[in-house]
Amino acid sequence: MENPKIRFKGFTKDWEQRKLGEIATETYGGGTPKTSNEEFWKGDIPWIQSSDLIDECLFDVRPRKCISQEAVSKSATKLVPQNSIAIVTRVGVGKLAFMPFSYATSQDFLSLSGLKIDPEFTVYALYKMMQSVSNEVQGTSIKGVTKDELLAKKIIFPSCNEQKKIGAYLHSLDNLITLHQRKCEQTKKLKKYMLQKMFPQNGAKVPEIRFDGFTYDWEQRKLGDMGSTYTGLSGKTKEDFGHGDAKFITYMNVFSNPVANLDMTESVEIDSKQNCVKAGDVFFTTSSETPEEVGMSSVMPENADNIYLNSFCFGYRPTEKFDLNYLAYVLRTESFRKEMTFLAQGISRYNISKNKVMEVEIPIPSLDEQSRVGQYFKNLDTLITLHQRKCDELKKMKKYMLQNMFI
């Protein structure tokens, strides 16, 4: 039998092949106790359903429901011993998880218990197998995989020591992925909280949280009193795009980024009749399918030649000096976003008037305080990006190792 492409040093023996049903001492199905019997759902036995499992998360399942012993005895569900593997075979086929505690499941699961090979290795080998099963049934009328079909599938495994090395290595990657995901989510929550606390709310003249040394009241000024608007690309057909020496800021760039990402541009021919964007300009989306997504904003970070704005946004050019980062984040605060949602008009598609946007007031502190606030939120976004990037890199590594550390 051939060897995997990537293997730990010191291991040379051939891998064995067995049917999946041969590596588990017991298998368990599942069921759903009567939902009309409230007493069934007041116990302490975790009862998992497909939606409790997250794709690619093979550990740390957090059940949302618990059932009683009576519910187990009076339904098709079974009490599964700890250290088993729960596999979704119907709705959500392809998901699975190692369960370190005893549990019960819905009818969408088959659980393997009393494993004869290393549990960590097994859960990754099964994950790789179930991805293939999921791809086979996707887009077909087949709703899942039967118990007999699953238990007849072949699993190939090495010696016990090599199993342990592979399982521990992949689990360590998963732990790192979880760590960066958690830090990313925590930083996003902190950013959301600070966007509410570091800008004045409900007519207040100062924010609740403020850097030391700043005491002056903030001003409220209308956007229209501090700048003017311009239009995005006009007079173009689809044949004009995808080539040329000019670039334009895309709609998704504006929608996704408080500060525009200059890598998210597309080509267009140079046209002297169009408005070129400049550093400090603000771009607003004018249309969306939901009112909550209208009027999303992005600030141009630097000057560059021959860059235009897409035709589904309008530009705003301040005539007064702002800190670029402050302007980017004050326009993403919850209070400003509520103003944009209120101004959105439409039925199946919502639009916003740039004249109405110009009537909206924003809070403005001194330039020094703007700089401190803007830099703080820029740093938070940098942290979010770093954690997300690291998470993506680790996921790619895990995918590569899953493809090359198994036969």
Side-chain angles (χ1 to χ4, degrees):
M1 184 176 291
E2 64 178 293
N3 291 320
K5 292 179 181 178
I6 296 176
R7 200 170 189 184
F8 287 106
K9 287 182 179 179
F11 297 103
T12 56
K13 290 183 179 179
D14 287 345
W15 289 34
E16 290 186 58
Q17 180 173 276
R18 293 280 187 276
K19 289 182 179 179
L20 189 55
E22 295 174 7
I23 67 159
T25 306
E26 295 285 346
T27 61
Y28 296 85
T32 302
K34 283 186 178 180
T35 54
S36 58
N37 189 330
E38 293 183 6
E39 294 303 314
F40 282 178
W41 300 91
K42 293 180 179 179
D44 57 4
I45 299 170
W47 181 81
I48 65 170
Q49 49 196 334
S50 177
S51 57
D52 290 329
L53 273 61
I54 301 170
D55 286 324
E56 299 185 17
C57 183
L58 307 182
F59 301 87
D60 196 29
V61 173
R62 299 181 183 182
R64 292 171 292 175
K65 296 179 180 179
C66 288
I67 59 175
S68 65
Q69 186 61 55
E70 184 184 11
V72 174
S73 62
K74 293 184 177 180
S75 71
T77 196
K78 301 288 188 292
L79 185 60
V80 186
Q82 63 184 22
N83 299 328
S84 300
I85 296 177
I87 306 170
V88 179
T89 58
R90 293 169 59 175
V91 180
V93 63
K95 295 193 290 186
L96 71 152
F98 176 75
M99 306 295 293
F101 47 82
S102 59
Y103 63 99
T105 75
S106 74
Q107 57 273 22
D108 294 330
F109 287 83
L110 176 68
S111 292
L112 305 182
S113 186
L115 299 170
K116 299 176 184 178
I117 60 177
D118 181 72
E120 284 186 330
F121 173 87
T122 307
V123 80
Y124 288 107
L126 289 178
Y127 173 74
K128 188 171 185 289
M129 176 195 294
M130 293 306 294
Q131 293 308 296
S132 298
V133 172
S134 177
N135 291 336
E136 288 170 8
V137 303
Q138 197 169 28
T140 71
S141 59
I142 302 171
K143 299 301 181 184
V145 59
T146 67
K147 174 182 175 180
D148 290 342
E149 288 171 341
L150 187 57
L151 295 180
K153 289 188 176 294
K154 301 288 197 303
I155 182 168
I156 306 171
F157 55 91
S159 67
C160 184
N161 286 338
E162 191 171 4
Q163 291 172 38
K164 290 181 182 297
K165 291 275 282 187
I166 294 169
Y169 171 73
L170 291 171
H171 198 176
S172 70
L173 285 183
D174 266 341
N175 286 339
L176 281 172
I177 290 169
T178 300
L179 175 66
H180 285 287
Q181 284 176 330
R182 190 171 293 140
K183 287 184 175 180
C184 188
E185 290 306 311
Q186 288 171 346
T187 310
K188 285 180 180 179
K189 287 179 182 178
L190 175 62
K191 177 186 171 184
K192 183 178 180 180
Y193 177 79
M194 287 303 191
L195 280 171
Q196 295 172 339
K197 299 296 182 179
M198 293 186 72
F199 296 90
Q201 303 288 323
N202 303 319
K205 295 186 180 296
V206 294
E208 287 184 46
I209 296 177
R210 199 171 189 185
F211 288 106
D212 289 340
F214 297 104
T215 57
Y216 288 113
D217 288 349
W218 291 30
E219 292 185 75
Q220 289 284 336
R221 301 277 304 277
K222 289 183 179 180
L223 288 171
D225 293 339
M226 301 180 292
S228 58
T229 63
Y230 60 88
T231 58
L233 286 168
S234 60
K236 299 291 180 185
T237 65
K238 63 180 180 180
E239 285 76 20
D240 295 316
F241 297 98
H243 53 84
D245 294 326
K247 301 285 185 181
F248 68 93
I249 305 289
T250 65
Y251 179 96
M252 283 308 299
N253 193 346
V254 177
F255 183 85
S256 305
N257 302 301
V259 178
N261 180 351
L262 297 189
D263 291 329
M264 289 178 67
T265 57
E266 293 183 11
S267 298
V268 68
E269 294 289 348
I270 293 175
D271 185 348
S272 60
K273 297 191 294 292
Q274 306 298 330
N275 294 307
C276 287
V277 303
K278 295 181 179 180
D281 285 2
V282 184
F283 315 128
F284 290 94
T285 62
T286 58
S287 179
S288 185
E289 293 177 355
T290 65
E292 292 79 16
E293 295 181 350
V294 172
M296 296 296 285
S297 59
S298 186
V299 176
M300 182 68 178
E302 60 189 67
N303 284 314
D305 294 333
N306 300 314
I307 296 188
Y308 312 127
L309 179 61
N310 73 84
S311 57
F312 299 102
C313 295
F314 72 86
Y316 169 73
R317 183 162 295 160
T319 53
E320 299 194 14
K321 189 170 178 59
F322 284 98
D323 177 82
L324 184 151
N325 291 313
Y326 174 83
L327 195 55
Y329 292 105
V330 72
L331 298 176
R332 290 278 178 141
T333 58
E334 185 177 337
S335 57
F336 187 83
R337 292 298 315 137
K338 283 181 178 178
E339 292 267 17
M340 295 299 99
T341 302
F342 178 75
L343 292 176
Q345 295 182 337
I347 299 174
S348 60
R349 191 161 187 90
Y350 294 84
N351 299 286
I352 197 166
S353 160
K354 62 183 178 182
N355 292 330
K356 293 289 186 182
V357 174
M358 291 300 100
E359 291 294 313
V360 177
E361 294 182 341
I362 61 170
I364 305 171
S366 67
L367 270 174
D368 285 344
E369 193 167 5
Q370 286 183 39
S371 178
R372 292 288 298 277
V373 172
Q375 189 62 48
Y376 174 79
F377 284 103
K378 181 182 179 182
N379 291 343
L380 287 183
D381 267 349
T382 299
L383 269 178
I384 291 168
T385 300
L386 286 174
H387 286 306
Q388 189 60 59
R389 187 175 296 149
K390 187 64 178 177
C391 194
D392 292 342
E393 289 171 357
L394 288 166
K395 285 182 176 180
K396 284 181 182 178
M397 182 185 293
K398 176 186 168 185
K399 182 179 179 180
Y400 179 80
M401 291 302 183
L402 281 168
Q403 290 171 342
N404 291 281
M405 293 184 79
F406 294 85
I407 299 174

